[in-house]
Amino acid sequence: MELDFERCYRAVDSRDQRFDGWFYTGVTSTGIYCRPSCPAMTPKRQNVRFFPSAAAAQGAGLRACRRCRPDAAPGSPQWDVRADVVGRAMRLIADGVVDRDGVPGLAARLGYTERHLHRMLRAELGAGPLALARAQRAQTARILIETTGLGLAEVAFAAGFGSVRQFNDTVREVYGATPSELRIARGRRAAAGGAGTITLRLAYRPPLHATALLDFLALRALPGVEEVRDGTYRRGLRLPHGAGTVALTPVDGHVAATLRLADMRDLAPAVARCRRLLDLDADPIAIDTTLAQDPTLAPAVQTEPGVRLPHAVDGFEMAIRAITTQQISLQSARTTLTHLLSAAAPLDPPVDHEVGGEVDLPNHGQPHDQRGGLRAFPTAEEVLGVAERGFRMPGARRETIRAVARAVADGDLDLEPGGDREEAVRRLSALPGIGPWTAGYVAMRALGDPDVFLPTDLGVRRGAAALGHPGDPKTLDAYADRWRPWRSYAVIRLWRAA
């Protein structure tokens, strides 16, 4: 990746936090690398090198700055936005695929040879897949060292290292201190939540409109799976090695996250999925600047800067939600999904109130297990079993759910962030009962496509009418071209306008 020296140096000189995660500043005179917003004195030009990834800086023999903690910076927005092989690879590495399946597993998921994949990542990021995964393991290890009471040998294997020696060498090389010294320096004790509980901060690029984010999630919260209460979003997670729950609370400058994990090896995937869910790696300045060029959206952008596009922790879950919501209200869809959940695995007796036969749940969920009272959405195999047995839903829609569940269970449909977006939409659209709206909604929220527009969506049309836009879907679709490449974010703003 080409990094313009003058532009990068100006960002460092002004300590512009908008560039955190876009690149890393290496200081050859001190042997450290920092995020652009590091509060330390600006280094001299002749002592500065810029790197496209933390792994590249580590490969050059630099250690992470202990003051600005560059490994905790927001991720580069392009890895969420880009649909090419490198973007997909970065999302899969963040989800821990290399730690679980090795580089051969990563290459197989992407359909490329290991050699070609290594060449592409080196060209873009200055580091290959092993180095990128190693940098992530180092960050995971630091979090576990500083926020849990786990023994250091346990930390080593939970972070994905193959041996304690490899763990010690990597931590010493990346942070310039031994694991024991890091733990002593921070003086942190294990989180009050007990064994398996980790509390950490999730960084983001400001601004972040937290109210819009929580409003969106609360309106669609599914009992037993998620809830929004007192400014905190909670949900159950299905992770590679076991179950978990997370509580996410937006506060000034970061999102406070409390994770309860059955297996500590799931920390990195859990963090990556939570970041994607809240769209924390987005570049709100770039998005809002484009949308504000339309005079009809400019007042909303000025009043509510930093509105994010909530994604998904489970692509299959989002597809089932989209199918269930077809041509009915969110309230009715929620009731149907509650029936599906109960049929897949009966919940404990509900504590929420019901109004008119539908669950009234703006701020409540249902207890289910001992790990925070919430569980993950059922797997494709579980939903397939329910669809074949039958549950309360029109027959045609139930058949669509069965077809999607079968395709996901058989591996014919990949709806996770590392999947090929175009291929996923093509295969999804070929299934019975999947039209442009459903495929577009899944692409926007499950696959993270930032440039999807839903001209036939009732909420979009109502929001457009409220702002004085054309109401006809065809005319509105043509009008939306001015919002490229951020039409998905325009959809969120139109829904708020509605």
Side-chain angles (χ1 to χ4, degrees):
M1 180 187 300
E2 293 292 333
L3 294 173
D4 182 79
F5 185 93
E6 287 302 323
R7 186 182 182 194
C8 291
Y9 193 82
R10 286 197 301 271
V12 171
D13 192 37
S14 62
R15 297 173 176 80
D16 194 334
Q17 66 185 108
R18 293 177 301 171
F19 291 91
D20 287 353
W22 277 104
F23 64 88
Y24 296 83
T25 307
V27 185
T28 56
S29 57
T30 60
I32 65 171
Y33 70 94
C34 306
R35 61 170 76 191
S37 65
C38 183
M41 182 181 297
T42 303
K44 296 179 180 179
R45 289 173 175 266
Q46 61 266 30
N47 296 331
V48 171
R49 290 180 62 192
F50 296 112
F51 299 91
S53 68
Q58 293 168 18
L62 304 176
R63 64 171 178 83
C65 175
R66 297 186 195 175
R67 186 172 183 181
C68 70
R69 293 175 171 262
D71 57 328
S76 174
Q78 59 184 321
W79 309 132
D80 268 351
V81 171
R82 284 172 53 168
D84 62 359
V85 175
V86 174
R88 292 168 57 201
M90 290 299 292
R91 294 194 286 274
L92 289 171
I93 291 171
D95 200 58
V97 169
V98 172
D99 292 335
R100 296 192 298 273
D101 305 325
V103 176
L106 175 66
R109 289 279 299 269
L110 296 169
Y112 284 81
T113 65
E114 295 177 51
R115 183 177 180 180
H116 188 50
L117 177 61
H118 182 86
R119 186 162 54 245
M120 287 189 291
L121 291 175
R122 285 281 302 179
E124 289 275 358
L125 292 146
L130 279 178
L132 293 163
R134 177 177 177 270
Q136 178 169 283
R137 283 195 294 270
Q139 180 187 6
T140 301
R142 180 183 62 78
I143 293 170
L144 291 172
I145 290 168
E146 297 177 350
T147 66
T148 75
L150 288 175
L152 294 180
E154 293 177 287
V155 169
F157 294 109
F161 289 97
S163 68
V164 173
R165 180 177 179 179
Q166 184 188 60
F167 160 69
N168 288 330
D169 290 345
T170 299
V171 171
R172 189 182 297 110
E173 180 181 336
V174 173
Y175 298 111
T178 66
S180 297
E181 289 170 342
L182 281 181
R183 178 161 280 178
I184 293 170
R186 291 294 288 175
R188 296 285 294 273
R189 295 183 178 180
T197 299
I198 301 172
T199 300
L200 63 155
R201 296 183 173 193
L202 304 182
Y204 60 80
R205 291 175 191 80
L208 171 72
H209 199 289
T211 300
L213 197 54
L214 293 178
D215 284 350
F216 184 95
L217 295 170
L219 187 62
R220 294 157 177 82
L222 184 59
V225 172
E226 58 189 339
E227 65 178 14
V228 177
R229 181 182 299 166
D230 300 328
T232 296
Y233 172 79
R234 298 177 178 85
R235 73 159 291 138
L237 299 170
R238 175 175 288 100
L239 298 164
H241 298 101
T245 61
V246 64
L248 299 166
T249 308
V251 294
D252 188 25
H254 67 275
V255 173
T258 300
L259 289 154
R260 301 183 67 192
L261 305 175
D263 191 316
M264 285 297 177
R265 290 177 295 174
D266 286 328
L267 176 58
V271 169
R273 295 176 194 193
C274 291
R275 295 193 65 84
R276 281 190 55 78
L277 171 66
L278 301 186
D279 198 22
L280 297 184
D281 291 327
D283 184 351
I285 300 297
I287 296 164
D288 287 354
T289 298
T290 297
L291 299 183
Q293 292 176 6
D294 182 346
T296 63
L297 282 183
V301 172
Q302 183 176 5
T303 303
E304 297 184 340
V307 171
R308 304 298 172 108
L309 170 63
H311 293 127
V313 297
D314 181 344
F316 172 70
E317 172 189 339
M318 194 52 60
I320 299 304
R321 285 175 177 252
I323 294 166
T324 308
T325 311
Q326 291 173 352
Q327 300 177 341
I328 62 174
S329 68
L330 290 174
Q331 184 89 344
S332 298
R334 190 184 298 120
T335 301
T336 300
L337 287 167
T338 302
H339 295 324
L340 187 153
L341 285 171
S342 298
L347 292 169
D348 292 341
V351 295
D352 292 319
H353 301 290
E354 293 199 5
V355 179
E358 296 188 347
V359 180
D360 178 22
L361 51 57
N363 299 303
H364 302 284
Q366 293 176 329
H368 179 64
D369 58 30
Q370 296 179 350
R371 305 191 69 80
L374 299 168
R375 62 166 181 176
F377 194 83
T379 64
E381 291 79 4
E382 290 170 337
V383 171
L384 182 60
V386 172
E388 291 180 343
R389 291 195 306 269
F391 66 100
R392 282 186 284 175
M393 175 180 274
R397 196 162 298 166
R398 186 167 60 245
E399 176 59 24
T400 300
I401 287 179
R402 191 201 67 78
V404 171
R406 171 64 69 189
V408 171
D410 290 346
D412 296 330
L413 180 61
D414 186 356
L415 297 176
E416 297 311 312
D420 185 319
R421 288 175 186 165
E422 290 187 3
E423 180 66 12
V425 169
R426 185 185 68 77
R427 295 194 177 199
L428 192 63
S429 300
L431 297 175
I434 302 293
W437 181 90
T438 305
Y441 188 87
V442 173
M444 182 173 71
R445 295 203 57 202
L447 302 174
D449 191 333
D451 196 32
V452 173
F453 193 64
L454 307 174
T456 62
D457 182 88
L458 182 59
V460 167
R461 293 170 63 190
R462 285 176 174 171
L467 296 177
H469 295 157
D472 172 68
K474 186 175 181 180
T475 306
L476 180 59
D477 193 32
Y479 184 91
D481 279 346
R482 68 192 65 196
W483 299 327
R484 291 180 182 274
W486 309 113
R487 292 183 300 168
S488 296
Y489 290 86
V491 167
I492 296 294
R493 289 194 174 275
L494 293 177
W495 278 339
R496 285 188 66 74

